[in-house]
PDB file of all heavy atoms in Angstrom:
ATOM      1  N   ILE A   1     -98.459-128.083  34.316  1.00 91.00           N
ATOM      2  CA  ILE A   1     -97.323-127.162  34.316  1.00 91.00           C
ATOM      3  C   ILE A   1     -96.894-126.923  35.755  1.00 91.00           C
ATOM      4  O   ILE A   1     -97.711-126.558  36.612  1.00 91.00           O
ATOM      5  CB  ILE A   1     -97.703-125.823  33.643  1.00 91.00           C
ATOM      6  CG1 ILE A   1     -98.123-126.062  32.188  1.00 91.00           C
ATOM      7  CG2 ILE A   1     -96.537-124.843  33.700  1.00 91.00           C
ATOM      8  CD1 ILE A   1     -98.636-124.814  31.489  1.00 91.00           C
ATOM      9  N   GLU A   2     -95.618-127.129  36.035  1.00 89.00           N
ATOM     10  CA  GLU A   2     -95.124-126.989  37.404  1.00 89.00           C
ATOM     11  C   GLU A   2     -94.572-125.595  37.687  1.00 89.00           C
ATOM     12  O   GLU A   2     -94.670-125.092  38.806  1.00 89.00           O
ATOM     13  CB  GLU A   2     -94.038-128.040  37.668  1.00 89.00           C
ATOM     14  CG  GLU A   2     -94.547-129.480  37.576  1.00 89.00           C
ATOM     15  CD  GLU A   2     -93.457-130.488  37.855  1.00 89.00           C
ATOM     16  OE1 GLU A   2     -92.288-130.052  38.074  1.00 89.00           O
ATOM     17  OE2 GLU A   2     -93.739-131.696  37.842  1.00 89.00           O
ATOM     18  N   ASP A   3     -94.006-124.960  36.682  1.00 90.00           N
ATOM     19  CA  ASP A   3     -93.378-123.649  36.874  1.00 90.00           C
ATOM     20  C   ASP A   3     -94.385-122.543  36.569  1.00 90.00           C
ATOM     21  O   ASP A   3     -94.911-122.459  35.446  1.00 90.00           O
ATOM     22  CB  ASP A   3     -92.164-123.524  35.958  1.00 90.00           C
ATOM     23  CG  ASP A   3     -91.347-122.262  36.247  1.00 90.00           C
ATOM     24  OD1 ASP A   3     -91.785-121.457  37.092  1.00 90.00           O
ATOM     25  OD2 ASP A   3     -90.282-122.094  35.619  1.00 90.00           O
ATOM     26  N   PRO A   4     -94.690-121.667  37.532  1.00 89.00           N
ATOM     27  CA  PRO A   4     -95.626-120.557  37.264  1.00 89.00           C
ATOM     28  C   PRO A   4     -95.170-119.651  36.120  1.00 89.00           C
ATOM     29  O   PRO A   4     -95.995-119.109  35.390  1.00 89.00           O
ATOM     30  CB  PRO A   4     -95.658-119.789  38.593  1.00 89.00           C
ATOM     31  CG  PRO A   4     -95.199-120.771  39.623  1.00 89.00           C
ATOM     32  CD  PRO A   4     -94.229-121.674  38.927  1.00 89.00           C
ATOM     33  N   VAL A   5     -93.851-119.495  35.961  1.00 90.00           N
ATOM     34  CA  VAL A   5     -93.332-118.641  34.883  1.00 90.00           C
ATOM     35  C   VAL A   5     -93.735-119.205  33.520  1.00 90.00           C
ATOM     36  O   VAL A   5     -94.095-118.466  32.597  1.00 90.00           O
ATOM     37  CB  VAL A   5     -91.797-118.517  34.978  1.00 90.00           C
ATOM     38  CG1 VAL A   5     -91.245-117.719  33.789  1.00 90.00           C
ATOM     39  CG2 VAL A   5     -91.396-117.856  36.292  1.00 90.00           C
ATOM     40  N   GLU A   6     -93.685-120.540  33.401  1.00 92.00           N
ATOM     41  CA  GLU A   6     -94.086-121.174  32.142  1.00 92.00           C
ATOM     42  C   GLU A   6     -95.579-120.964  31.883  1.00 92.00           C
ATOM     43  O   GLU A   6     -96.000-120.714  30.746  1.00 92.00           O
ATOM     44  CB  GLU A   6     -93.764-122.665  32.194  1.00 92.00           C
ATOM     45  CG  GLU A   6     -94.058-123.386  30.884  1.00 92.00           C
ATOM     46  CD  GLU A   6     -93.711-124.864  30.952  1.00 92.00           C
ATOM     47  OE1 GLU A   6     -93.050-125.284  31.925  1.00 92.00           O
ATOM     48  OE2 GLU A   6     -94.117-125.604  30.031  1.00 92.00           O
ATOM     49  N   ALA A   7     -96.392-121.035  32.953  1.00 91.00           N
ATOM     50  CA  ALA A   7     -97.838-120.817  32.799  1.00 91.00           C
ATOM     51  C   ALA A   7     -98.133-119.374  32.399  1.00 91.00           C
ATOM     52  O   ALA A   7     -99.009-119.111  31.554  1.00 91.00           O
ATOM     53  CB  ALA A   7     -98.550-121.167  34.110  1.00 91.00           C
ATOM     54  N   ILE A   8     -97.391-118.420  32.989  1.00 91.00           N
ATOM     55  CA  ILE A   8     -97.575-117.011  32.628  1.00 91.00           C
ATOM     56  C   ILE A   8     -97.180-116.793  31.170  1.00 91.00           C
ATOM     57  O   ILE A   8     -97.850-116.063  30.423  1.00 91.00           O
ATOM     58  CB  ILE A   8     -96.735-116.110  33.562  1.00 91.00           C
ATOM     59  CG1 ILE A   8     -97.266-116.194  34.990  1.00 91.00           C
ATOM     60  CG2 ILE A   8     -96.760-114.665  33.078  1.00 91.00           C
ATOM     61  CD1 ILE A   8     -96.381-115.496  36.014  1.00 91.00           C
ATOM     62  N   HIS A   9     -96.074-117.439  30.752  1.00 91.00           N
ATOM     63  CA  HIS A   9     -95.631-117.310  29.362  1.00 91.00           C
ATOM     64  C   HIS A   9     -96.688-117.857  28.401  1.00 91.00           C
ATOM     65  O   HIS A   9     -97.009-117.217  27.385  1.00 91.00           O
ATOM     66  CB  HIS A   9     -94.310-118.053  29.172  1.00 91.00           C
ATOM     67  CG  HIS A   9     -93.819-118.057  27.755  1.00 91.00           C
ATOM     68  ND1 HIS A   9     -93.409-116.916  27.105  1.00 91.00           N
ATOM     69  CD2 HIS A   9     -93.694-119.075  26.859  1.00 91.00           C
ATOM     70  CE1 HIS A   9     -93.043-117.215  25.870  1.00 91.00           C
ATOM     71  NE2 HIS A   9     -93.205-118.517  25.688  1.00 91.00           N
ATOM     72  N   LEU A  10     -97.248-119.028  28.727  1.00 92.00           N
ATOM     73  CA  LEU A  10     -98.285-119.613  27.883  1.00 92.00           C
ATOM     74  C   LEU A  10     -99.521-118.704  27.848  1.00 92.00           C
ATOM     75  O   LEU A  10    -100.120-118.474  26.782  1.00 92.00           O
ATOM     76  CB  LEU A  10     -98.665-121.005  28.391  1.00 92.00           C
ATOM     77  CG  LEU A  10     -99.801-121.708  27.632  1.00 92.00           C
ATOM     78  CD1 LEU A  10     -99.447-121.879  26.164  1.00 92.00           C
ATOM     79  CD2 LEU A  10    -100.115-123.056  28.273  1.00 92.00           C
ATOM     80  N   GLY A  11     -99.898-118.169  29.015  1.00 91.00           N
ATOM     81  CA  GLY A  11    -101.039-117.254  29.078  1.00 91.00           C
ATOM     82  C   GLY A  11    -100.809-116.008  28.237  1.00 91.00           C
ATOM     83  O   GLY A  11    -101.722-115.503  27.574  1.00 91.00           O
ATOM     84  N   SER A  12     -99.563-115.507  28.234  1.00 90.00           N
ATOM     85  CA  SER A  12     -99.247-114.309  27.440  1.00 90.00           C
ATOM     86  C   SER A  12     -99.320-114.612  25.944  1.00 90.00           C
ATOM     87  O   SER A  12     -99.756-113.761  25.157  1.00 90.00           O
ATOM     88  CB  SER A  12     -97.848-113.800  27.800  1.00 90.00           C
ATOM     89  OG  SER A  12     -97.811-113.341  29.137  1.00 90.00           O
ATOM     90  N   LEU A  13     -98.904-115.826  25.548  1.00 90.00           N
ATOM     91  CA  LEU A  13     -99.007-116.207  24.140  1.00 90.00           C
ATOM     92  C   LEU A  13    -100.472-116.283  23.702  1.00 90.00           C
ATOM     93  O   LEU A  13    -100.834-115.860  22.606  1.00 90.00           O
ATOM     94  CB  LEU A  13     -98.322-117.558  23.911  1.00 90.00           C
ATOM     95  CG  LEU A  13     -96.787-117.577  24.055  1.00 90.00           C
ATOM     96  CD1 LEU A  13     -96.252-118.992  23.889  1.00 90.00           C
ATOM     97  CD2 LEU A  13     -96.137-116.649  23.037  1.00 90.00           C
ATOM     98  N   ILE A  14    -101.317-116.826  24.581  1.00 92.00           N
ATOM     99  CA  ILE A  14    -102.748-116.902  24.269  1.00 92.00           C
ATOM    100  C   ILE A  14    -103.347-115.498  24.196  1.00 92.00           C
ATOM    101  O   ILE A  14    -104.140-115.183  23.309  1.00 92.00           O
ATOM    102  CB  ILE A  14    -103.482-117.755  25.331  1.00 92.00           C
ATOM    103  CG1 ILE A  14    -102.986-119.204  25.265  1.00 92.00           C
ATOM    104  CG2 ILE A  14    -104.987-117.699  25.128  1.00 92.00           C
ATOM    105  CD1 ILE A  14    -103.545-120.089  26.372  1.00 92.00           C
ATOM    106  N   ALA A  15    -102.942-114.632  25.138  1.00 90.00           N
ATOM    107  CA  ALA A  15    -103.459-113.252  25.149  1.00 90.00           C
ATOM    108  C   ALA A  15    -102.985-112.481  23.925  1.00 90.00           C
ATOM    109  O   ALA A  15    -103.728-111.659  23.359  1.00 90.00           O
ATOM    110  CB  ALA A  15    -103.015-112.543  26.427  1.00 90.00           C
ATOM    111  N   ALA A  16    -101.756-112.735  23.477  1.00 89.00           N
ATOM    112  CA  ALA A  16    -101.221-112.029  22.309  1.00 89.00           C
ATOM    113  C   ALA A  16    -102.028-112.319  21.059  1.00 89.00           C
ATOM    114  O   ALA A  16    -102.098-111.489  20.144  1.00 89.00           O
ATOM    115  CB  ALA A  16     -99.760-112.415  22.093  1.00 89.00           C
ATOM    116  N   GLN A  17    -102.666-113.486  20.998  1.00 88.00           N
ATOM    117  CA  GLN A  17    -103.520-113.831  19.865  1.00 88.00           C
ATOM    118  C   GLN A  17    -104.931-113.275  20.023  1.00 88.00           C
ATOM    119  O   GLN A  17    -105.752-113.389  19.114  1.00 88.00           O
ATOM    120  CB  GLN A  17    -103.587-115.362  19.704  1.00 88.00           C
ATOM    121  CG  GLN A  17    -102.255-116.030  19.458  1.00 88.00           C
ATOM    122  CD  GLN A  17    -101.672-115.688  18.106  1.00 88.00           C
ATOM    123  OE1 GLN A  17    -102.392-115.276  17.202  1.00 88.00           O
ATOM    124  NE2 GLN A  17    -100.361-115.846  17.951  1.00 88.00           N
ATOM    125  N   GLY A  18    -105.222-112.690  21.187  1.00 88.00           N
ATOM    126  CA  GLY A  18    -106.513-112.036  21.382  1.00 88.00           C
ATOM    127  C   GLY A  18    -107.594-112.917  21.990  1.00 88.00           C
ATOM    128  O   GLY A  18    -108.748-112.483  22.089  1.00 88.00           O
ATOM    129  N   TYR A  19    -107.265-114.122  22.432  1.00 91.00           N
ATOM    130  CA  TYR A  19    -108.283-115.000  23.005  1.00 91.00           C
ATOM    131  C   TYR A  19    -108.659-114.565  24.429  1.00 91.00           C
ATOM    132  O   TYR A  19    -109.772-114.797  24.879  1.00 91.00           O
ATOM    133  CB  TYR A  19    -107.789-116.447  23.028  1.00 91.00           C
ATOM    134  CG  TYR A  19    -107.744-117.092  21.659  1.00 91.00           C
ATOM    135  CD1 TYR A  19    -106.561-117.139  20.933  1.00 91.00           C
ATOM    136  CD2 TYR A  19    -108.882-117.644  21.097  1.00 91.00           C
ATOM    137  CE1 TYR A  19    -106.517-117.726  19.674  1.00 91.00           C
ATOM    138  CE2 TYR A  19    -108.845-118.240  19.841  1.00 91.00           C
ATOM    139  CZ  TYR A  19    -107.657-118.271  19.139  1.00 91.00           C
ATOM    140  OH  TYR A  19    -107.624-118.850  17.888  1.00 91.00           O
ATOM    141  N   ILE A  20    -107.715-113.955  25.125  1.00 93.00           N
ATOM    142  CA  ILE A  20    -107.947-113.388  26.458  1.00 93.00           C
ATOM    143  C   ILE A  20    -107.369-111.981  26.433  1.00 93.00           C
ATOM    144  O   ILE A  20    -106.308-111.757  25.845  1.00 93.00           O
ATOM    145  CB  ILE A  20    -107.249-114.211  27.563  1.00 93.00           C
ATOM    146  CG1 ILE A  20    -107.693-115.672  27.512  1.00 93.00           C
ATOM    147  CG2 ILE A  20    -107.544-113.630  28.938  1.00 93.00           C
ATOM    148  CD1 ILE A  20    -106.899-116.571  28.442  1.00 93.00           C
ATOM    149  N   PHE A  21    -108.058-111.043  27.078  1.00 91.00           N
ATOM    150  CA  PHE A  21    -107.536-109.671  27.040  1.00 91.00           C
ATOM    151  C   PHE A  21    -107.826-108.960  28.359  1.00 91.00           C
ATOM    152  O   PHE A  21    -108.847-109.211  29.004  1.00 91.00           O
ATOM    153  CB  PHE A  21    -108.152-108.890  25.878  1.00 91.00           C
ATOM    154  CG  PHE A  21    -109.654-108.786  25.936  1.00 91.00           C
ATOM    155  CD1 PHE A  21    -110.272-107.717  26.590  1.00 91.00           C
ATOM    156  CD2 PHE A  21    -110.456-109.748  25.362  1.00 91.00           C
ATOM    157  CE1 PHE A  21    -111.656-107.617  26.644  1.00 91.00           C
ATOM    158  CE2 PHE A  21    -111.841-109.659  25.400  1.00 91.00           C
ATOM    159  CZ  PHE A  21    -112.438-108.591  26.045  1.00 91.00           C
ATOM    160  N   PRO A  22    -106.928-108.071  28.772  1.00 92.00           N
ATOM    161  CA  PRO A  22    -107.173-107.270  29.980  1.00 92.00           C
ATOM    162  C   PRO A  22    -108.184-106.178  29.697  1.00 92.00           C
ATOM    163  O   PRO A  22    -108.233-105.645  28.589  1.00 92.00           O
ATOM    164  CB  PRO A  22    -105.790-106.689  30.297  1.00 92.00           C
ATOM    165  CG  PRO A  22    -105.102-106.621  28.963  1.00 92.00           C
ATOM    166  CD  PRO A  22    -105.611-107.795  28.174  1.00 92.00           C
ATOM    167  N   ILE A  23    -108.983-105.843  30.673  1.00 88.00           N
ATOM    168  CA  ILE A  23    -110.010-104.816  30.448  1.00 88.00           C
ATOM    169  C   ILE A  23    -109.522-103.426  30.828  1.00 88.00           C
ATOM    170  O   ILE A  23    -110.213-102.438  30.575  1.00 88.00           O
ATOM    171  CB  ILE A  23    -111.289-105.149  31.243  1.00 88.00           C
ATOM    172  CG1 ILE A  23    -111.023-105.082  32.754  1.00 88.00           C
ATOM    173  CG2 ILE A  23    -111.826-106.518  30.859  1.00 88.00           C
ATOM    174  CD1 ILE A  23    -112.278-105.171  33.599  1.00 88.00           C
ATOM    175  N   SER A  24    -108.318-103.345  31.404  1.00 84.00           N
ATOM    176  CA  SER A  24    -107.844-102.048  31.912  1.00 84.00           C
ATOM    177  C   SER A  24    -106.904-101.328  30.950  1.00 84.00           C
ATOM    178  O   SER A  24    -106.737-100.118  31.032  1.00 84.00           O
ATOM    179  CB  SER A  24    -107.142-102.229  33.261  1.00 84.00           C
ATOM    180  OG  SER A  24    -106.069-103.161  33.139  1.00 84.00           O
ATOM    181  N   ASP A  25    -106.254-102.067  30.040  1.00 81.00           N
ATOM    182  CA  ASP A  25    -105.330-101.424  29.111  1.00 81.00           C
ATOM    183  C   ASP A  25    -105.344-102.159  27.774  1.00 81.00           C
ATOM    184  O   ASP A  25    -106.092-103.118  27.582  1.00 81.00           O
ATOM    185  CB  ASP A  25    -103.908-101.355  29.681  1.00 81.00           C
ATOM    186  CG  ASP A  25    -103.365-102.734  30.051  1.00 81.00           C
ATOM    187  OD1 ASP A  25    -103.557-103.679  29.250  1.00 81.00           O
ATOM    188  OD2 ASP A  25    -102.751-102.878  31.124  1.00 81.00           O
ATOM    189  N   HIS A  26    -104.472-101.712  26.858  1.00 80.00           N
ATOM    190  CA  HIS A  26    -104.441-102.259  25.495  1.00 80.00           C
ATOM    191  C   HIS A  26    -103.286-103.231  25.287  1.00 80.00           C
ATOM    192  O   HIS A  26    -103.067-103.686  24.165  1.00 80.00           O
ATOM    193  CB  HIS A  26    -104.317-101.121  24.479  1.00 80.00           C
ATOM    194  CG  HIS A  26    -105.503-100.195  24.466  1.00 80.00           C
ATOM    195  ND1 HIS A  26    -106.548-100.335  23.582  1.00 80.00           N
ATOM    196  CD2 HIS A  26    -105.804 -99.124  25.238  1.00 80.00           C
ATOM    197  CE1 HIS A  26    -107.446 -99.391  23.804  1.00 80.00           C
ATOM    198  NE2 HIS A  26    -107.013 -98.638  24.799  1.00 80.00           N
ATOM    199  N   VAL A  27    -102.524-103.534  26.317  1.00 83.00           N
ATOM    200  CA  VAL A  27    -101.357-104.406  26.183  1.00 83.00           C
ATOM    201  C   VAL A  27    -101.782-105.839  26.465  1.00 83.00           C
ATOM    202  O   VAL A  27    -102.206-106.167  27.575  1.00 83.00           O
ATOM    203  CB  VAL A  27    -100.235-103.977  27.150  1.00 83.00           C
ATOM    204  CG1 VAL A  27     -99.011-104.857  26.958  1.00 83.00           C
ATOM    205  CG2 VAL A  27     -99.875-102.509  26.932  1.00 83.00           C
TER     206      VAL A  27
END
């Protein structure tokens, strides 16, 4: 992936499914 925005979007999709989660909040 060349565009960081695309990588962030993909990471957010993975996080939305619960595979990765932030430890500081519930979003």
Side-chain angles (χ1 to χ4, degrees):
I1 300 175
E2 297 181 358
D3 188 355
V5 175
E6 184 179 349
I8 294 172
H9 176 67
L10 177 59
S12 294
L13 291 176
I14 295 174
Q17 300 292 339
Y19 288 97
I20 304 172
F21 59 90
I23 65 170
S24 57
D25 57 44
H26 296 265
V27 182

